[in-house]
Amino acid sequence: MADTITESTFQQEVLENQGPVLVDFWAEWCGPCHAVAPILNQIDEEPELARRYGVMSIPTMILFDSGEPKAAAIGAQPKQMLEKSLGLAEE
């Protein structure tokens, strides 16, 4: 569920909330903000799945092998770094 949080509602909606709250700081003019919006919507729709795998920031990519998470990469990264983070780069 996405709500607009303002300075006047931050204390109650975020700091006093007993459950997890994802706060997305964004701007209309921000290209990366728009790029990550569909991912945020998916996480918002599946919060338990994100919690199960410890997704604390996005983008987070998790490589699963035989149903188990084996490697993860967090944040936008160049191809070589992403491959290394996920254990896909040849040594």
Side-chain angles (χ1 to χ4, degrees), residues 47-62:
E48 182 52 40
L49 189 58
R51 270 193 294 278
R52 183 183 320 164
Y53 294 103
V55 175
M56 301 298 289
S57 63
I58 55 174
T60 293
M61 293 137 286
I62 301 174

Side-chain angles (χ1 to χ4, degrees), residues 19-66:
V21 178
L22 174 65
V23 178
D24 178 26
F25 294 89
W26 70 282
E28 185 63 41
W29 50 262
C30 173
C33 296
H34 286 281
V36 80
I39 298 167
L40 278 175
N41 289 336
Q42 290 174 2
I43 288 175
D44 189 45
E45 292 170 8
E46 299 293 341
E48 182 52 40
L49 189 58
R51 270 193 294 278
R52 183 183 320 164
Y53 294 103
V55 175
M56 301 298 289
S57 63
I58 55 174
T60 293
M61 293 137 286
I62 301 174
L63 177 66
F64 287 83
D65 185 7
S66 301

Side-chain angles (χ1 to χ4, degrees), residues 59 61 73-86 89:
M61 293 137 286
I74 300 171
Q77 301 177 23
K79 182 182 177 203
Q80 286 182 326
M81 290 181 64
L82 184 60
E83 289 174 333
K84 185 176 179 182
S85 295
L86 294 173

Side-chain angles (χ1 to χ4, degrees), residues 5 12-24 51:
I5 304 295
Q12 179 181 356
E13 297 291 328
V14 178
L15 301 180
E16 295 174 4
N17 193 303
Q18 296 303 308
V21 178
L22 174 65
V23 178
D24 178 26
R51 270 193 294 278

